[in-house]
Amino acid sequence: MTSEAKRTVVVTGGSRGIGRAICLALAGPDTHLFFNYHSAGEAAEKTIALVGEKGGTAEGVQADVASPESVSAFFKQIMEKTGRIDVLVNNAGVTKDGLIAMMKEADWDTVLNINLKGAFNCIKSATRPMMKQRGGRIINITSVVGAMGNAGQANYAASKAGLIGLTKSAARELASRNITVNAVAPGFVETDMTDAMTDKAREALQTQIPLRRFGQVDEVAATVAFLASDAAAYITGQVIHVNGGMYI
Ligand code: NAP
């Protein structure tokens, strides 16, 4: 990268929650950020404004990571504007919880298509420019339940465990081109996703967390920023757990 060129960072699901915190942790005067959202256009505007307050620039694009066509169009737009991709963070994710016996096939498919195939679609689009540049960082947001499993979340846990296998395989494939691929596995973090829980469920979960609290989005984002930084150049194929000791 020439000294005058800005670093191009791509974050999926950057409109809210952990994704927005990741956008802010990676934003700055030397970075141009692209993020996508699915339906929350107003939330995306807020992310853009907050990135601006950090002296950075950002563009929010509507795209469905589960759709190869939508992802191709998103990355085409990025390449036309900046001609490079330095960091890709696969953060977009959804839950559709239920016990296996009752789980609708559509709920299995939706979660796997967004959380796992969505990351595959984005990695596929980002690797060609990263290989040409002979460098890049890919960071996948998995989950503690991808390592531990969770009753009522078979689809979600399978998608997040799959993301760990995808991370390790991509790390092996891309290392020769100086592209590192790692995963960050948050435990329970305060976001819209966990706000939906009842107080009783939250209290029960907190007893299983040695640090006795849910995580904050900034604590996950700081780990992503580290993996995207020069300091993490020799780390690849790893899963970094950020979970208050919930899984040791
Ligand atoms: P969130 O607040 O629900 O935000 C989800 C983000 O993903 C939003 O930006 C959403 O866009 C986007 N998105 C959803 N479906 C999409 C699709 N089909 N295509 C593109 N973007 C899509 O979620 P979060 O809690 O911040 O979670 C972020 C990531 O961390 C997820 O991968 C999640 O599995 C993981 N995680 C979360 C926790 C937790 O406790 N919160 C714990 C472990 C792992 P819209 O705003 O347009 O809907």
Side-chain angles (χ1 to χ4, degrees), residues 4-77:
E4 64 275 18
K6 284 190 172 191
R7 177 172 79 147
T8 300
V9 170
V10 183
V11 180
T12 68
S15 50
R16 292 187 282 125
I18 293 172
R20 177 186 283 160
I22 292 169
C23 287
L24 296 179
L26 296 175
D30 63 345
T31 297
H32 187 61
L33 208 125
F34 290 88
F35 68 90
N36 83 284
Y37 60 95
H38 188 237
S39 46
E42 276 174 31
E45 289 303 322
K46 184 157 182 211
T47 299
I48 293 170
L50 291 170
V51 166
E53 285 172 18
K54 291 202 71 185
T57 48
E59 294 179 47
V61 177
Q62 196 286 330
D64 179 358
V65 293
S67 154
E69 295 76 26
S70 182
V71 169
S72 289
F74 177 44
F75 280 85
K76 188 165 177 263
Q77 204 174 324

Side-chain angles (χ1 to χ4, degrees), residues 210-247:
L211 286 176
R212 290 285 184 268
R213 63 173 177 88
F214 284 2
Q216 299 297 318
V217 290
D218 293 344
E219 293 171 317
V220 178
T223 309
V224 173
F226 166 68
L227 288 171
S229 75
D230 290 345
Y234 201 53
I235 300 175
T236 196
Q238 303 305 308
V239 182
I240 313 289
H241 287 270
V242 183
N243 59 30
M246 187 178 167
Y247 174 73

Side-chain angles (χ1 to χ4, degrees), residues 12-20 22 35-41 43-44 62-67 90-95 110 113-115 141-145 156 159-160 163 184-194 197 214-215 217 220:
T12 68
S15 50
R16 292 187 282 125
I18 293 172
R20 177 186 283 160
I22 292 169
F35 68 90
N36 83 284
Y37 60 95
H38 188 237
S39 46
Q62 196 286 330
D64 179 358
V65 293
S67 154
N90 285 305
N91 163 79
V94 294
T95 52
T110 299
N113 283 338
I114 294 173
N115 297 6
I141 308 302
T142 175
S143 165
V144 68
V145 306
Y156 182 75
S159 73
K160 295 300 186 178
L163 201 47
V184 173
F188 288 93
V189 179
E190 303 277 3
T191 63
D192 293 348
M193 207 178 251
T194 46
M197 284 179 192
F214 284 2
V217 290
V220 178

